[in-house]
Amino acid sequence: MANVQPTRSDITAHPDVSEMRDRYARMLGGRDVALVDGPVFLLGLYCAVSPWILHYTTSQPALVTHNLIVGIAIGLLALGFTRAPERMYGLSWAFCAMGAWMIIAPWIVGESPDAGVVLNNIIIGAVAVVLGMVCAATASKSGPKP
């Protein structure tokens, strides 16, 4: 009768073991921030659709376009964080700047915004600043060591 039990051999004898270990380390390196990618994407999605959720499409048409564009930019930044983290985490501080811009945008872009519009943008901006700082701090902590 044939032995059908799978045998587990030690991988240290594999000819490409060092290359496989290096690739595994590269794939996992710097992924401490992976938990932030999802919330950043969701924040961008909410920012893009918030004018329709809060119904200020007729009262603040400039802010509708603004929030749509900034929301798409935040979402694309999150996708970049996920797709190429080693290149994109330097933009974490730009994400903080986008959050600060979202806080002041109702008064600069909008025309006499009401309290709901202002509060919405302040919350989006504050969450973006916090997530950007977390992303930047984690990326700098888990970056390449000299």
Side-chain angles (χ1 to χ4, degrees), residues 6-27:
T7 58
R8 297 195 184 260
S9 62
D10 191 14
I11 196 167
T12 56
H14 194 281
D16 295 327
V17 70
S18 63
E19 181 182 337
M20 290 189 309
R21 284 186 179 147
D22 290 342
R23 183 175 181 200
Y24 183 73
R26 276 195 321 268
M27 293 296 286

Side-chain angles (χ1 to χ4, degrees), residues 95-113:
F95 185 47
C96 290
M98 288 173 71
W101 170 251
M102 283 299 294
I103 292 172
I104 62 171
W107 295 282
I108 296 173
V109 177
E111 298 173 14
S112 326

Side-chain angles (χ1 to χ4, degrees), residues 75-106:
L76 289 174
L77 197 59
L79 290 176
F81 285 165
T82 303
R83 184 80 176 138
E86 63 279 352
R87 290 189 224 157
M88 294 294 292
Y89 283 126
L91 293 176
S92 300
W93 294 109
F95 185 47
C96 290
M98 288 173 71
W101 170 251
M102 283 299 294
I103 292 172
I104 62 171

Side-chain angles (χ1 to χ4, degrees), residues 27-45:
M27 293 296 286
L28 292 181
R31 292 309 297 153
D32 296 339
V33 192
L35 296 175
V36 182
D37 297 348
V40 170
F41 182 76
L42 291 175
L43 180 69
L45 183 65

Side-chain angles (χ1 to χ4, degrees), residues 40-50 53 71-72 74-75:
V40 170
F41 182 76
L42 291 175
L43 180 69
L45 183 65
Y46 174 74
C47 180
V49 299
S50 65
I53 292 173
I72 290 171
I74 291 172

Side-chain angles (χ1 to χ4, degrees), residues 53-136:
I53 292 173
L54 297 177
H55 304 292
Y56 61 88
T57 54
T58 55
S59 65
Q60 298 290 329
L63 268 176
V64 170
T65 307
H66 171 268
N67 280 19
L68 179 64
I69 291 170
V70 172
I72 290 171
I74 291 172
L76 289 174
L77 197 59
L79 290 176
F81 285 165
T82 303
R83 184 80 176 138
E86 63 279 352
R87 290 189 224 157
M88 294 294 292
Y89 283 126
L91 293 176
S92 300
W93 294 109
F95 185 47
C96 290
M98 288 173 71
W101 170 251
M102 283 299 294
I103 292 172
I104 62 171
W107 295 282
I108 296 173
V109 177
E111 298 173 14
S112 326
D114 62 352
V117 172
V118 171
L119 188 62
N120 178 58
N121 275 27
I122 287 175
I123 291 172
I124 291 172
V127 170
V129 168
V130 169
L131 287 175
M133 286 183 176
V134 167
C135 202

